[in-house]
Amino acid sequence: GKYDLPAALNAILGGLVSITAGCSVVEDWAAIPIGVIGAFVYQFAADTLVKLEIDDPIGAFPVHGACGAWGVIAVAIFGSPRYVQLAYSCNNPPPSSGNYWDPLPGYQFAIQLILVLTIIGWVTLTVTPFVFVLKKLKVLRVSEEMELAGLDASEHFAKSSPGGVVVVEPKTTEAEGSPTNIEDEL
């Protein structure tokens, strides 16, 4: 296959997003495996969206949603208990104390998983009403003509092709010398 530069750049961004959640609680070396795994999480999420026929042309969900969730979970796997205690002022005694409050195996993983589910719930509850209103106002979609022409052509006077982007010179009106609206030509 051909080298896909946007996918490679998004995978790098996914790696950077992945380490963001845990940067204060992981050892320096852990940033590398967290970021590398994040790149694979990005690719898996992007491929899944394509298979499900969900349109995300710039890869926002795979980079920020999937890799962000992975980064939160990665804290449970790579986080240093000492750094977690220092960063979040935990009053839990060290695990070797034998105290009743010692975390059970998987305790931090459960906390991180609950955090991911809480974030998903919060985003869903806050975004859904706005999307519903925007849908009712019919501002979420472009016209059918613009969709068929392609937004690159209708908005940016360029056409996407498998070989890259081909710039299309905008037509100018004789009187004004300014680009015409592509919608008028459709």
Side-chain angles (χ1 to χ4, degrees), residues 112-186:
Q112 299 305 122
L113 185 59
I114 290 169
L115 180 57
V116 169
L117 295 174
T118 302
I119 292 168
I120 291 169
W122 180 81
V123 169
T124 302
L125 289 174
T126 57
V127 171
T128 301
F130 292 108
V131 172
F132 179 77
V133 169
L134 292 174
K135 185 175 180 180
K136 288 294 182 187
L137 294 173
K138 298 183 181 192
V139 296
L140 286 180
R141 295 197 60 98
V142 296
S143 67
E144 188 176 343
E145 294 84 15
M146 288 179 72
E147 187 175 339
L148 292 173
L151 289 180
D152 285 335
S154 62
E155 293 289 318
H156 308 293
F157 302 106
K159 292 184 180 180
S160 292
S161 67
V165 174
V166 177
V167 176
V168 177
E169 291 296 324
K171 294 181 181 179
T172 57
T173 59
E174 294 175 18
E176 300 170 1
S178 62
T180 58
N181 189 340
I182 193 84
E183 289 179 49
D184 297 337
E185 296 181 25
L186 297 175

Side-chain angles (χ1 to χ4, degrees), residues 14 17-22 26 34 38 65-76 112 116:
V17 168
S18 297
I19 187 55
T20 303
V26 300
I34 291 171
C67 292
W70 155 244
V72 172
I73 298 292
V75 168
Q112 299 305 122
V116 169

Side-chain angles (χ1 to χ4, degrees), residues 3-30:
Y3 186 73
D4 187 356
L5 183 61
L9 294 174
N10 274 345
I12 292 168
L13 284 173
L16 294 170
V17 168
S18 297
I19 187 55
T20 303
C23 65
S24 66
V25 296
V26 300
E27 301 282 347
D28 295 343
W29 64 267

Side-chain angles (χ1 to χ4, degrees), residues 15-127:
L16 294 170
V17 168
S18 297
I19 187 55
T20 303
C23 65
S24 66
V25 296
V26 300
E27 301 282 347
D28 295 343
W29 64 267
I32 294 171
I34 291 171
V36 169
I37 293 169
F40 286 102
V41 168
Y42 161 77
Q43 193 60 54
F44 175 77
D47 291 345
T48 301
L49 289 181
V50 169
K51 287 178 186 170
L52 295 174
E53 297 181 4
I54 297 173
D55 190 24
D56 186 3
I58 61 169
F61 171 76
V63 170
H64 298 285
C67 292
W70 155 244
V72 172
I73 298 292
V75 168
I77 300 167
F78 294 99
S80 161
R82 179 175 172 265
Y83 289 163
V84 170
Q85 188 172 15
L86 289 172
Y88 302 112
S89 301
C90 297
N91 292 324
N92 293 340
S96 61
S97 69
N99 189 311
Y100 175 78
W101 293 104
D102 281 350
L104 299 171
Y107 179 76
Q108 190 66 45
F109 186 83
I111 290 172
Q112 299 305 122
L113 185 59
I114 290 169
L115 180 57
V116 169
L117 295 174
T118 302
I119 292 168
I120 291 169
W122 180 81
V123 169
T124 302
L125 289 174
T126 57
V127 171

